[in-house]
Amino acid sequence: MLELRVNGGAFELDAPVGTSLADALRDRLGLTGTKIACNEGHCGACTVQLDGVPILSCITLVHSVGEREVTTIEGLRDHPLVEAFVRADALQCGFCTPGQIVSAAALVETDPEPDRDVIRHAMAGNLCRCGTYPRVEEAITTWRA
Amino acid sequence: MLGNGSVGLAGGTDLVPLLRDGIVRADTLVDLSRGVPRGVADGRIGAGATLAELEVDPQVPDALREACRLAASPQLRAMGTIGGNLRQATRCWYWRLKYPCYLHGGDRCHAREGEHREHAIFGNERCASAHPSDVAAALIALRSRARTTRRELAVEELYRLPTDDDRDVVALAADELIVELEVPTPRASVYLKAMDRQRWAFPLVGVAAARFEDGVSLALAGVAPIPWPLAGAADLEAATPLPGTAYKVEIARALVARALAAVGA
Amino acid sequence: MARLIKTEKEVEGRYTEQWVVVEEDVLDQWPAGARRVVGRPATRVDGLQRARGEARYTADVQLPGMLHTAVLRSPHGRARVKRLDVGRAMQAPGVRGVLTPRELAARDAADWPGEPSVGPHASEVLTCEPGYAGAPVAAVGAETFGQALAALSLVRVDWEILEPLLDGDQAVRRGSLLGEPRRYERGDLDRGLAEADLVVEAKYRTQVVLHNALETHQSVCRWEGDTLEVYTSTQWIWGVRREVAEALGIPADRVRVVCEYMGGGFGAKNDAGDHTFIAAELARRTGRPVRCALTRRDENRATGNRNATIQRLVAGARSDGTLTALGGEFVNAVGYDGFSPFTSGPMQLLYGCPNVRTVDYGAQLNTPPNAAFRAPGFVEGTFGLECLLDELAARLDVDPLELRRRNHADHDASDERPFSSKRLMECYRRAETHWARRAEVRARSEAPWRRGVGLASQVWYGGGGPPSYAWVRVGPDGRAAVITAMQDIGTGSRTAMAQIAAEELGLPLDRVDVALGDSARGPYASISAGSSTIPSMGPAVRSAAADAARQIVEIAAQRYDREERVLSLRDGHVVSTDGGSWPLEEIAGLLGDGQILGKGARGPNPAGMRVLTFGVQVAEVAVDVETGEVRVERLAAIHDVGRVINPLGARSQVEGGIIQALGHTLSEQRLLDPLTGDVLTQTLDAYKLPTIADVPEIVVEFVDQPDTHLTNLGAKGLGEPPIVPTAAAIANAIRNATGADVRSLPVSREEMLRALRETRGRAEEPVGASTA
């Protein structure tokens, strides 16, 4: 049995060694807001925070999470960035969007007013095939509006 | 505690996918997150420090900080440790897709005859893979030393070209771990990187240069199966590019000249 | 009374004739310009669900007892299965079903008389003679995906490996073609070349590009009694319904296809796909719901691609820039199967040149089949044509924008049809301010960076067509629901449909819901491909809303004792020209549980006219001439797509198209192993999509004038136009910056350095040497 701290709650689950955090969140806890698009750490769709740090849950083994607090998109439901993304039209198909918002939330936590270069550096690991990047940049620039 | 089927797991950014693909096999994974130091102090960097921590640490020399900053993606830098970065495997597609190539113990390099635009221009006679570590090149140019669980050695001594007898490119024992890096402070240092996009790409060519009292050190990333120290710009004329990697020599010439100029050589 | 007529329908340049029933009292278009809802920016009606991760994609469908599938794919481009042994796989933990190719299943049936649910059982889509690496050979269904994968590794295959054919030119020489070469000629090319003061010739190449929608191809199939439910990530619910029903031999109404949210398609999800048939067959065999989802790696091997092209082009012009001749031989390296795109289309359609001769070859190769990818053919053909025109302009010393104006086509010269509307000249006029930055941009060059500006024109389809239907339901609470079994593939069509209905019903946008994505819960809707969703579905939705609005006005006229002609719907009220105003819920509420139901259909396309979209893009680049690095610094896009329904979503479409184009212009290329023909760039570290850090400043403008001949909206599609001219605009900016002719996509470091070397070599040649 494994205890996982997610979005302020604690969950017990049974998972074989080798299970990824992404699979545990989606299949065991039903938190399907975290998306899996490459499942090998290349695209950022599965981004969640561990103690506030954005990481790739598809290549994180659930048994290595330990005491660290996991924050998923479900835990950021009411973050102002969510509204900012909708306002700026920073989503098309939306499959990468939860990961984008999780990364962006970690960014604005450390730098509430990031400039363009900071945003581009911090968000480069979240691939969007629809090409919403200019809108993502606008959403993060205007998130407190 | 390592060896004999036990493999140490730090950030896991390379190891977890390789385990899944069956390229690395492990009976037991040993979580290194608590055992390995991660701080930065007095020119020493714990092997467990993440690239994300190092890219913003003012104590870290410019070349290494920039190498960390331009490495991989933000999430991979947040997960990946400097110790793990030094041990990462090549991005060669043949190797990653498990073609029975020289590096996997086979008798030929598939890339030499096949697609190899991202591959080596040095040390590529048997295996044309390119070593992807920006950080290793920076550390070598910075004349850094590594302390392992067994010994202390220069970072460039961590690597060896694969041979018929031993296809590994890392010269460490199975149970040997990098614990700490000792990074001298140069007068000036720089890391320049050519890649296929502005961020989140492995180096086509990475050039690290550091100037010390007694001269300038250079090392390249992405140009050989291992990080490649360079005695000077003239060494580039000894490159042995493949048809599809000749352009890398051209890029390396330009970046080496710029790096030397940047450190005031 | 309804009339039956025949109209012409086009999807991605392929025309078909279509019978269509036309209702009387066709609606007049709204006047040009922003209306109360239509033409004004609207945020996505489903934005919060998507942003919060609450939207349920096919990837998120988890059904009780659902099995997972792993598919064995050929590692060889061309091979024969001599022996396939699935015995150990069948006995592996968790395995509930194994599928093998039909010919093997028949042969082995006697050997496996055991459990009926395990197999081996036949599937039509599995093959013993794979013609490309990645072709599906066997499939395993198990309790978990891990178990399915583990079982798959126990399948033994003895291969007879054959030599694959991988080169397009070689295929044409050997006559390995899909279909006959398509030949086209107007005027006389040879005469045109003879009349020219200058002739330029060049060969261009474009690479294979992979779609890489973030949601991979996947389906979940479940039998409910005699009905098959298919949850699938698709661009065409009704296409999947028909394909699956035909394959299974059951009535189409026994197939229910659901796709409420989908994670991108870009043309690769127009068909049901092998994975859907595998899931359906395993579900039938096991009586369990079955998911078949491709991994990213398989996605990049087996779900289609933009095919490579080789283009040998020639252009002749008088010294003032008037084109006298355009000729092209286009080789589409289609793959083992697929279609030969209309790569010569831009050469035929973009300019009013009198003498044009083209031939398109579709080369059949042992490579993965192509699939439509956002303006297939035109992206590739525009790159060649528009680069060649700039080479011509440079040699003639004619301004490239002026050259394009001089050769403007004022009708479709291939069949003398008028355009339903064309405002390309207005696009050119608006491009002037961006074009005028040339001197200033070039002056900002400082070693080793050279800067320059280039432009390219765009032509593409986007008129859509019938049939498409929608229903509108107005309830007693005064809210409306649009019901139609279309799909929103991420383009924002759900929002656009809500806007159109809100406009017609005089309702605020937040009082309109849209129910889509389920073939059991709405009428037939068109494919979301070929820039056709807005022009096909939008008019049907407006017509359904107008039907409901007419009924509301009729009821209100009786209730409030007014003539119908003085009543209209506005801001959620029925209003009268005499000042009377009654909330809609008051009228609708009269009916108790009753509802007002409107229905609408897409009408015909304008007879005898060519419906096309147009535009121009201006790129600004910086080139590091020592390292071959190309940075795109600014892109201005001006497009004419008729009326714009949602300026906010439309801007996003243009930005997205340009950013995808940036990928195929600079960093994306699928590479194959030359021995096996298997894809080497299967993963997203090796196959390099643009990141946020690669994106230039993008300026988007629309002409935004309704096409007065096209439907009751005057709106054309916008999904594809913006991706068409970008590569050529960038290549032309590179020439302007450096003098180098890049002629191959992507403009990687090596291609840029090659072109620069070639230019230097040319400069060093003795005067008088040929440059041809």
Side-chain angles (χ1 to χ4, degrees), chain B residues 89-122:
Chain B
T90 179
R91 308 310 300 183
C92 171
W93 28 62
Y94 290 102
W95 188 82
R96 294 251 161 197
L97 296 174
K98 296 166 77 170
Y99 282 70
C101 69
Y102 186 82
L103 206 55
H104 277 311
D107 56 6
R108 69 186 183 92
C109 170
H110 292 62
R112 285 189 67 93
E113 305 298 318
E115 286 290 349
H116 55 241
R117 68 174 291 274
E118 300 186 5
H119 287 66
I121 56 174
F122 287 107

Side-chain angles (χ1 to χ4, degrees), chain C residues 7-18 20 420 460-468 524-540 602-607 609-613 641 707 709-711 714-721:
Chain C
T7 187
E8 198 171 52
K9 178 187 185 177
E10 164 276 318
V11 176
E12 286 166 351
R14 282 165 284 175
Y15 286 89
T16 50
E17 294 227 301
Q18 172 77 44
V20 59
S420 60
W460 175 247
Y461 305 92
S468 282
Y524 175 90
S526 86
I527 189 171
S528 289
S531 303
S532 68
T533 311
I534 290 267
S536 293
M537 295 307 305
R602 166 66 151 85
N605 280 334
M609 291 183 155
R610 183 69 65 216
V611 184
L612 298 173
T613 56
V641 293
D707 180 331
H709 294 104
L710 181 67
T711 75
K716 299 177 190 174
L718 175 59
E720 287 155 308

Side-chain angles (χ1 to χ4, degrees), chain C residues 55-120:
Chain C
R56 193 172 73 151
Y57 296 80
T58 305
D60 304 323
V61 172
Q62 298 182 352
L63 300 178
M66 185 172 77
L67 301 177
H68 299 262
T69 311
V71 179
L72 179 76
R73 295 176 184 279
S74 171
H76 308 291
R78 190 166 155 243
R80 276 192 208 105
V81 175
K82 290 194 293 187
R83 191 168 142 271
L84 182 68
D85 179 357
V86 296
R88 286 177 67 208
M90 283 166 49
Q91 270 124 44
V95 171
R96 297 291 174 261
V98 176
L99 296 181
T100 56
R102 175 166 292 283
E103 54 269 46
L104 280 186
R107 199 174 72 198
D108 295 346
D111 298 341
W112 300 102
E115 278 185 89
S117 66
V118 174

Side-chain angles (χ1 to χ4, degrees), chain B residues 21 91 93-94 96-97 99 108 110 113-115 117-118 193-202 204 244 247 250-251 254-255 258, chain C residues 297 448 624 626-627 629 631 667 669 671-676 678-680 682 684-685 688-689 691 693-694 748-750 753 757 760:
Chain B
D21 287 340
R91 308 310 300 183
W93 28 62
Y94 290 102
R96 294 251 161 197
L97 296 174
Y99 282 70
R108 69 186 183 92
H110 292 62
E113 305 298 318
E115 286 290 349
R117 68 174 291 274
E118 300 186 5
K193 180 175 180 179
M195 45 184 162
D196 280 326
R197 50 188 179 193
Q198 294 298 316
R199 284 291 188 280
W200 182 197
F202 294 93
L204 296 170
Y247 77 100
E250 217 173 320
I251 294 175
L255 293 188
R258 289 179 197 179
Chain C
R297 295 184 187 190
D624 179 338
E626 293 171 3
T627 69
E629 180 178 355
R631 289 188 190 166
S667 62
Q669 56 181 328
L671 298 175
L672 294 182
D673 174 43
L675 285 181
T676 61
D678 204 355
V679 177
L680 296 171
Q682 297 179 17
L684 292 180
D685 59 329
K688 296 179 190 83
L689 308 176
T691 74
D694 295 286
S748 57
R749 301 280 183 137
E750 54 267 43
L753 290 170
R757 253 193 325 270
R760 280 195 300 271

Side-chain angles (χ1 to χ4, degrees), chain B residues 102-103 109 112 120 122-130 161-162 169 224-225:
Chain B
Y102 186 82
L103 206 55
C109 170
R112 285 189 67 93
F122 287 107
N124 51 7
E125 194 182 326
R126 292 185 174 81
C127 164
S129 70
L161 284 172
V169 297

